[in-house]
Amino acid sequence: MHTATAPSAAAQDRDALIAATARLRGEVARRIVGQQDVLDEIVMALLAGGHVLLVGVPGLAKTLMIRSVAEALALQFRRIQFTPDLVPSDITGTEILEEEHGTGGRRFRFVEGPVFANVVLADEINRAPPRTQAALLEAMQEHSVTAAGQTMRLPEPFFVLATQNPIEQEGTYALPEAQLDRFLFDVRVGYPGAEDEVAILRSTTGATTGPLAPMLGGEEVLALQAMVRDVVAPDAALRYATALVRATRPDDPTAPTQVKQYVRWGAGPRAGQALVLGAKAHALLAGRLAVAPEDIRRVARPVLRHRVLPNFAAEAEGITSERIVEELLTYVAPPRSDVRL
């Protein structure tokens, strides 16, 4: 006779944290109607320890969604409104000269900029010139800032969420490819459905809702990020991620004809890392401890769409990076998996 064994303490902690993540999504949904896929991708990126670029036309509540996610996290939140006159020290911080009372001596003191926070909203990031955008590069990659001759660590967890308007070109600067590559996900925010739009009008023109309750703190987020790293990625899943990334490169023999014809530059190895980490986060949120091919397919679009650069021929024929990624998902066959989703 076999007796059921009680779940281990580690399993109970894992289940409790996953349940808290589900409550976080539910709490944000109190304020944001629809856009469930967008919210899921933000949460996956948070758990994977990556940054997110949200692209959408004005009025789709991109900034409100980020503020709501930050409010549902017991973390320090800062907002940076990017403008053409913004300079790097406005982001990283600056030295000021102080006079000491009593002695009359003077000394320099570094005043931290808004990047010294757990959750940083870079609003309309493409409105600042490249020199200012580059001020975020070290912070996003190294989680540190070099200023006043010193390298200072940023608080952990550190999470950058940037918004971008794809239709306005006047007064904007295209993000450099090196910076785009630092974003784990490029999340596209589309128009809501008809019923969701009715619900938006109902909720935003009536009585205001109260503040959101924080569901996860810094220690819980760091614990979830560690759990994501512990999710098993079988060799078949790693090879599938590698095959998808390599198929985006026009000079690779495995690339399909469309890529060779319409792609200028394909994705680098960081894209493969993003595919695996995003897939691990998706699997963990589903309560699984192993990655399946469908987990990789779920995150392939937000991972690859900003890392595949169409050439002039593609632009002339109206072929976008999203269309190329869709073709790749059809062209590169996933391996068989015994993991049931």
Side-chain angles (χ1 to χ4, degrees):
M1 178 178 179
H2 297 283
T3 56
T5 57
S8 66
Q12 290 177 336
D13 291 343
R14 182 185 67 244
D15 293 343
L17 287 172
I18 293 174
T21 305
R23 290 196 299 273
L24 180 144
R25 288 185 284 183
E27 189 70 8
V28 174
R30 285 179 47 207
R31 186 176 292 167
I32 303 297
V33 178
Q35 305 292 4
Q36 192 59 47
D37 287 344
V38 175
L39 179 57
D40 287 347
E41 287 169 6
I42 291 175
V43 173
M44 280 189 276
L46 175 65
L47 268 57
H51 311 291
V52 174
L53 177 65
L54 278 85
V55 180
V57 299
L60 295 180
K62 299 185 297 295
T63 301
L64 179 61
M65 181 178 296
I66 294 170
R67 281 188 172 276
S68 301
V69 170
E71 193 176 333
L73 295 166
L75 299 173
Q76 187 180 21
F77 170 72
R78 296 276 181 85
R79 178 177 182 258
I80 306 171
Q81 180 62 55
F82 277 67
T83 57
D85 60 349
L86 200 71
V87 296
S89 59
D90 293 332
I91 296 173
T92 59
T94 187
E95 279 190 310
I96 61 172
L97 184 62
E98 284 188 332
E99 183 175 334
E100 296 179 355
H101 296 288
T103 65
R106 294 181 178 182
R107 64 183 180 86
F108 283 100
R109 180 171 68 88
F110 181 76
V111 178
E112 295 179 349
V115 77
F116 285 85
N118 298 113
V119 181
V120 176
L121 164 57
D123 216 357
E124 295 185 291
I125 190 172
N126 58 326
R127 289 203 174 276
R131 178 167 169 259
T132 303
Q133 293 172 4
L136 276 179
L137 274 178
E138 180 187 5
M140 292 171 65
Q141 183 63 29
E142 307 296 337
H143 290 203
S144 65
V145 166
T146 300
Q150 297 183 4
T151 299
M152 293 160 279
R153 297 294 301 174
L154 296 171
E156 295 290 351
F158 178 68
F159 189 39
V160 173
L161 293 127
T163 67
Q164 180 175 318
N165 177 358
I167 60 174
E168 286 190 42
Q169 301 300 323
E170 186 175 351
T172 64
Y173 302 83
L175 292 183
E177 281 73 16
Q179 183 163 11
L180 282 173
D181 201 31
R182 262 63 175 192
F183 287 102
L184 185 82
F185 287 168
D186 175 341
V187 176
R188 300 300 165 95
V189 186
Y191 290 110
E195 290 303 316
D196 285 339
E197 198 154 357
V198 171
I200 289 171
L201 297 179
R202 184 182 300 114
S203 64
T204 56
T205 58
T208 57
T209 59
L212 302 184
M215 294 294 162
L216 287 171
E219 292 185 3
E220 290 85 359
V221 172
L222 290 174
L224 281 163
Q225 290 178 352
M227 288 180 188
V228 166
R229 295 274 178 168
D230 289 336
V231 172
V232 176
D235 190 66
L238 297 178
R239 292 186 181 279
Y240 180 47
T242 301
L244 278 173
V245 172
R246 293 184 69 85
T248 66
R249 303 167 187 166
D251 59 348
D252 192 280
T254 64
T257 302
Q258 188 183 50
V259 167
K260 294 178 179 179
Q261 185 176 358
Y262 293 120
V263 174
R264 179 159 49 105
W265 293 104
R270 191 180 281 121
Q273 296 168 346
L275 279 174
V276 174
L277 284 172
K280 286 186 173 188
H282 185 258
L284 183 68
L285 288 172
R288 291 180 280 105
L289 298 180
V291 171
E294 282 306 310
D295 295 316
I296 293 175
R297 293 179 66 84
R298 170 63 184 87
V299 300
R301 294 169 184 84
V303 166
L304 294 176
R305 60 167 60 111
H306 60 302
R307 293 181 166 98
V308 174
L309 291 141
N311 57 23
F312 293 116
E315 293 174 7
E317 297 186 31
I319 295 175
T320 64
S321 61
E322 289 198 67
R323 178 172 165 183
I324 294 170
V325 172
E326 291 293 338
E327 291 289 337
L328 282 174
L329 288 173
T330 303
Y331 177 80
V332 182
R336 287 189 57 188
S337 172
D338 295 328
V339 179
R340 294 185 179 179
L341 302 179

